[in-house]
Amino acid sequence: MRVVTFCDIDESVIDSKHTIENFQSGCSGEAQIAILDINSIFDFEENKHEACADKFTTIAIVEDDSDYDAFKNFGIDAWIKADDFSDINELINLIEKRLFS
């Protein structure tokens, strides 16, 4: 899977079988998964079509419960709590199986 991030994450927790790109550093425009947080939601909204493939899924990193309210109007597909970010591979693998197989 090709993953683009719109926020700073610990990329080392994501399996090496996935290609990780950072939007601010440049990306191919073919990401199948976009990872964002509350601080990068507007960057994502303005640039998702140049950073992502035609078919893509979003994962929002949630710091606290108020983030859910902020994200609800942006069509986010999946959420992960910041404290649980080390479990991101399980979520990526589930997305891959359900949407891209």
Side-chain angles (χ1 to χ4, degrees), residues 10-53:
D10 179 3
E11 294 179 12
S12 68
V13 300
I14 297 177
D15 286 341
S16 61
K17 69 180 183 177
H18 304 295
T19 303
I20 310 299
E21 302 173 333
N22 184 287
F23 177 74
Q24 287 77 15
S25 301
C27 60
S28 67
E30 296 298 321
Q32 296 158 302
I33 296 177
I35 298 176
L36 56 141
D37 65 7
I38 197 69
N39 296 317
S40 62
I41 187 71
F42 292 112
D43 281 343
F44 166 74
E45 276 298 309
E46 292 173 5
N47 300 292
K48 63 186 174 189
H49 296 294
E50 71 181 69
C52 300

Side-chain angles (χ1 to χ4, degrees), residues 15-97:
D15 286 341
S16 61
K17 69 180 183 177
H18 304 295
T19 303
I20 310 299
E21 302 173 333
N22 184 287
F23 177 74
Q24 287 77 15
S25 301
C27 60
S28 67
E30 296 298 321
Q32 296 158 302
I33 296 177
I35 298 176
L36 56 141
D37 65 7
I38 197 69
N39 296 317
S40 62
I41 187 71
F42 292 112
D43 281 343
F44 166 74
E45 276 298 309
E46 292 173 5
N47 300 292
K48 63 186 174 189
H49 296 294
E50 71 181 69
C52 300
D54 290 338
K55 182 179 177 183
F56 69 95
T57 299
T58 51
I59 300 174
I61 301 170
V62 178
E63 294 286 333
D64 59 49
D65 289 344
S66 67
D67 288 352
Y68 289 108
D69 289 333
F71 280 125
K72 71 180 178 185
N73 294 322
F74 290 95
I76 301 302
D77 299 303
W79 295 265
I80 189 165
K81 290 185 177 184
D83 294 339
D84 297 331
F85 191 75
S86 62
D87 298 328
I88 189 82
N89 287 306
E90 294 172 28
L91 184 54
I92 291 173
N93 291 335
L94 182 64
I95 290 167
E96 185 175 27
K97 285 178 186 174

